[in-house]
Amino acid sequence: MQFPDDRRYTHTHEWARQDGALVRVGITSFAAEQLGDIIFLDLPDPGTRVDGGAAFGEIESVKAVSDLLAPVGGEVREVNEPLMDDLDLVADDPWEGAWMIAIAPDDPAQLDALLDAQAYAQHCAEEA
Amino acid sequence: MTEPTLFDISQPGKRCTRMPAADVPAPALVDVVPAEHLRAEPPALPEVTEPEIARHYARLAAQNFDVDRHFYPLGSCTMKYNPKVHEAIAAAAGWARLHPATPAEHVRGALRLIRDVEGWLAEILGMAAVSLQPPAGAAGEFTCLRIFRAWHDARGDTGRTRVIVPDTAHGTNPASVARCGWTVTVLESGPDGRVSTGTLAEALGDDVAAMMLTNPNTLGLFETNVLEIAAMVHDAGALMYCDGANLNALLGRARPGDMGFDAVQVNLHKTFATPHGGGGPGAGPVGVTAALEPFLPIPRVVERDGALAWDHDRPASIGKVQAWFGNFLVAVRAWAYIRANGADGLRRVTEDAVLAANYVRAALEGAFDLPYDGACMHECVLSAKTPTQETGVRAAEIAKALLDHDIHPPTMYFPLIVDEALMIEPTETESKRVLDRFIAVMLEIARAAREQPEALHDAPTRTPVRRVDEVTAARQPFLRWRPE
């Protein structure tokens, strides 16, 4: 398995990419495949505070409901509204079009503590 | 085959019955009903003939997939066949037509029945006292947590906000915690599919109010460390709740009270002869230790001056959790079922349920993945991970294929920690002939998954409604009929 190396990853299959002063967040192609067809997505409003490692939203597939965990703590600045109307994007374009929120991080260094692409690939291989 | 709604076949003027003309003068509606309660337009009710109604519902019933016609190994739900005699007993007018406001001295037989069922359940559970009031399993969970909260509060111990819930738990567990105003700490299962005491030790603290444990757990595995787990939780000042959904695995063989649990709920509609699957009514009685008895819902049945009576005067009670006394007719069926089986019969229910699950597990573990080795209790959890990876045939496809063989699918994709989970609970009511046929069909589907996977992608092909578009149904639910 290969994953983009322009971003970091969590053990719970979120990705986080530095984007100017913000950290953009989505879920990985591995997570999307495990979940199957997505039927519901619940994201926070801009301005919401999130803690690193805590739930910022929920994603529901035909199989299960899962929490979405924030890779870094901070304030939600942007939410991908178009994604709510086109949930197929989570499977079709997980790395770009299906970003979910952008966080203004409390501590930008938090990102460095996450998995890099190689470590995340190994984590997925162990789970599969 | 789509059955039209009664609105679709409605035609103005059709009636089931026609009343004879009144032979007395009829008052005008406006003279007997206040004007503000009168509609401007008549309600848009369907107008159909009696045969049209009768056939409409008979056709819908014929499309149903039910335990009276089909083997129904839906794991975690205990879809056993319920003897019809219990329906007849519960339908007897003396029970079915009782009004709940009838004074106790006129219905002492009903109070006696409630007291009997409470006493027998207490004995089965190893608990000091039982309340029949909660109307369903999740309501029983919530009742137990409310009782725990009242107990902590009564001791002035108000800083406890967390409840520990294993990652194999039923989804109702965290929901009950949230309803109670507490937060959930999820406990990751150990490599053997059971709670690891090491992981538990890390999760415990002086802010933990309770632990919720299902035993056997949803993998069908007995929590062999339950005594040590209970001691650890009690040492931390917290209480132990047993999710009693899997009581079918314990009757007469093991008791939650002896395992160190402080409270447990029972799903009468699973183990004690009330049919379910249609949305109720069920019943979720709770059993508690002597220390928690004062907090049980009111009213309680008590003996007063040699006669049974209602006791509402219990200051420590959490109050009511359901109107009147719970779903009484479910308790009537449970009374009859417990009496019909007796202690030996109930023990055999559990022994046969566990035997049936292990018979199925042993026959299928070569053809499917078995994520956790060893003997199971009343249900077994297999995984369709290998066919999913090799040919793209997922648990859902296997479930759909079973429908073509007139078998209800097992529970899928639960517990969440098993990929492509198939959770099979045959129950004690099925004969070896039925189990052997199920095994043969499952082996045939496993072979098809390897050799001709495309055939399974179309299943089911023999049901009144074929593969439904679950994704569109969930994203764009169409919940209400409207005229075109």
Side-chain angles (χ1 to χ4, degrees), chain B residues 15-38:
Chain B
R15 291 288 181 274
C16 291
T17 34
R18 288 188 194 280
M19 297 310 237
D23 56 3
V24 292
L29 210 50
V30 287
D31 294 333
V32 289
V33 179
E36 68 265 30
H37 296 314
L38 281 177

Side-chain angles (χ1 to χ4, degrees), chain B residues 161-181:
Chain B
T161 55
R162 283 196 297 131
V163 177
I164 296 175
V165 181
D167 57 8
T168 50
H170 295 110
T172 47
N173 285 188
S176 295
V177 173
R179 284 295 284 171
C180 209

Side-chain angles (χ1 to χ4, degrees), chain A residues 34 37-39 63-64 88 128, chain B residues 385 394 413 420 471 474-475:
Chain A
Q34 292 286 313
D37 290 313
I38 307 301
I39 55 178
K63 285 158 63 168
D88 287 336
Chain B
K385 195 169 171 176
R394 313 179 74 124
Y413 302 118
E420 300 298 324
V471 176
R475 286 184 190 171

Side-chain angles (χ1 to χ4, degrees), chain B residues 105-397:
Chain B
E105 57 268 33
H106 294 192
V107 288
R108 291 221 165 97
L111 271 64
R112 164 80 191 278
L113 182 139
I114 289 172
R115 197 166 164 87
D116 281 352
V117 174
E118 286 180 352
W120 296 337
L121 289 178
E123 191 177 337
I124 289 166
L125 298 170
M127 289 292 173
V130 166
S131 164
L132 301 186
Q133 199 177 100
E141 281 178 33
F142 175 69
T143 303
C144 289
L145 292 185
R146 286 302 306 232
I147 288 171
F148 284 5
R149 185 158 192 160
W151 183 80
H152 285 305
D153 286 351
R155 289 156 43 97
D157 191 358
T158 53
R160 296 178 181 270
T161 55
R162 283 196 297 131
V163 177
I164 296 175
V165 181
D167 57 8
T168 50
H170 295 110
T172 47
N173 285 188
S176 295
V177 173
R179 284 295 284 171
C180 209
W182 282 334
T183 57
V184 177
T185 297
V186 176
L187 202 64
E188 199 174 318
S189 296
D192 61 347
R194 296 174 173 89
V195 168
S196 140
T197 49
T199 315
L200 175 62
E202 286 168 30
L204 282 169
D206 59 10
D207 61 340
V208 171
M211 172 161 188
M212 304 178 85
L213 187 63
T214 311
N215 201 13
N217 67 26
T218 61
L219 293 163
L221 302 174
F222 194 83
E223 292 283 356
T224 42
N225 290 327
V226 65
L227 291 174
E228 191 182 347
I229 292 167
M232 290 169 69
V233 168
H234 288 147
D235 284 348
L239 295 171
M240 280 290 285
Y241 162 76
C242 179
D243 179 330
N246 293 339
L247 188 64
N248 225 47
L250 300 178
L251 298 174
R253 300 289 301 198
R255 309 195 304 170
D258 299 335
M259 300 175 202
F261 287 104
D262 301 288
V264 54
Q265 117 284 349
V266 182
N267 295 9
L268 291 186
H269 47 280
K270 288 184 178 179
T271 298
F272 295 98
T274 283
H276 65 127
V286 297
V288 297
T289 57
L292 297 177
E293 182 176 6
F295 304 101
L296 283 173
I298 47 168
R300 304 278 302 143
V301 178
V302 293
E303 201 170 313
R304 200 181 278 150
D305 304 329
L308 295 175
W310 292 115
D311 180 10
H312 292 262
D313 183 22
R314 300 173 75 89
S317 166
I318 61 165
K320 292 186 75 69
V321 295
Q322 165 76 350
W324 303 106
F325 321 112
N327 288 331
F328 175 70
L329 294 177
V330 178
V332 173
R333 293 181 180 91
W335 190 99
Y337 183 79
I338 292 171
R339 290 287 289 178
N341 278 286
D344 291 339
L346 291 178
R347 193 178 308 115
R348 268 191 59 197
V349 163
T350 280
E351 289 168 355
D352 289 351
V354 172
L355 180 63
N358 279 288
Y359 184 69
V360 168
R361 176 190 56 79
L364 294 181
E365 66 184 3
F368 294 87
D369 302 293
L370 184 70
Y372 297 97
D373 285 340
C376 60
M377 298 288 287
H378 66 307
E379 62 194 359
C380 66
V381 176
L382 303 173
S383 163
K385 195 169 171 176
T386 300
T388 299
Q389 288 175 345
E390 288 176 357
T391 61
V393 173
R394 313 179 74 124
E397 250 103 29

